[in-house]
Amino acid sequence: MIIDATFWVAIAFIIFIAVLIYLKVPQKINSGLSIMIENIKNELGEAEKLKKESKNLLNETQEKLENAQKENEQIIKNAREESEKFIIKINNKFFQISENRKKITEQKIMQIKENAIKNIKDTSIKIALKSVKKLIETSINKSKLDALFEKNINQAKNTLKKTRA
């Protein structure tokens, strides 16, 4: 049998494997891997717990958000209702004030109208008295009296027209 380099490599390999087994390296590697596997399992378990907690927090947050949106909508609805009531109230007050002002203005117009009619009557009476006074003072013939009467009537008409304008 010829001993060549391949043979010595094979022997060295077998000795190396035997030393590894003697030093319990495979068991140490196995236990190290087992510990790593256990750590990974624990981390996966914690990740699952965190995932569940995250889902719970997400659900709670979504519920709170939905409740907040509902409250927002309710607040907006209430504000609209209140503003509509306020607008109606202000409109009613405005129309009441407008009606009161209209009545007061109508009363003032009636009072001014009555005063104007009274002034016209007073002026007419004064004109008539002046005409009668002139007639009595000038007691003259009938033709002059008729002319004076016509003149006074025209004068009264003109005065009445001026007071109307």
Side-chain angles (χ1 to χ4, degrees):
M1 168 166 180
I2 300 177
I3 299 178
D4 62 355
T6 314
F7 175 74
W8 289 113
V9 170
I11 296 240
F13 182 72
I14 291 174
I15 293 173
F16 176 74
I17 297 290
V19 169
L20 287 178
I21 291 174
Y22 176 74
L23 295 175
K24 299 181 182 180
V25 172
Q27 292 172 348
K28 289 179 182 178
I29 290 174
N30 190 21
S31 67
L33 288 175
S34 295
I35 290 172
M36 290 176 97
I37 289 172
E38 193 64 34
N39 287 340
I40 291 172
K41 283 182 183 179
N42 289 339
E43 287 179 10
L44 284 174
E46 286 181 34
E48 285 293 322
K49 287 179 185 177
L50 289 174
K51 182 179 176 183
K52 286 179 184 178
E53 287 178 16
S54 297
K55 282 185 180 181
N56 288 338
L57 285 174
L58 177 64
N59 289 337
E60 289 175 10
T61 305
Q62 285 178 340
E63 287 177 16
K64 288 179 182 179
L65 180 63
E66 288 173 3
N67 290 338
Q69 286 176 340
K70 287 178 184 178
E71 286 181 32
N72 257 358
E73 290 172 1
Q74 186 65 33
I75 289 170
I76 290 171
K77 181 181 174 185
N78 290 341
R80 280 190 182 135
E81 290 173 358
E82 289 297 318
S83 65
E84 287 173 1
K85 288 177 184 177
F86 184 70
I87 289 171
I88 290 171
K89 183 179 176 182
I90 287 181
N91 277 339
N92 288 339
K93 284 184 179 180
F94 172 76
F95 286 119
Q96 264 184 340
I97 290 170
S98 295
E99 286 296 318
N100 290 340
R101 286 183 181 170
K102 182 180 174 184
K103 287 178 184 177
I104 290 170
T105 305
E106 287 174 351
Q107 288 174 353
K108 285 182 180 179
I109 290 172
M110 289 299 293
Q111 197 173 24
I112 291 170
K113 186 178 177 182
E114 289 173 3
N115 287 340
I117 291 173
K118 182 181 175 189
N119 288 339
I120 291 171
K121 286 180 181 179
D122 289 345
T123 305
S124 298
I125 291 171
K126 287 178 184 177
I127 292 172
L129 286 175
K130 284 182 182 179
S131 296
V132 169
K133 186 177 177 184
K134 281 185 181 180
L135 279 177
I136 293 174
E137 288 175 354
T138 57
S139 297
I140 48 175
N141 66 14
K142 188 173 180 178
S143 65
K144 284 186 177 180
L145 191 59
D146 286 338
L148 185 61
F149 181 72
E150 286 295 323
K151 181 181 170 188
N152 283 336
I153 287 179
N154 288 333
Q155 191 179 18
K157 286 180 183 178
N158 287 336
T159 306
L160 283 174
K161 285 181 185 177
K162 286 180 185 176
T163 56
R164 286 184 188 170

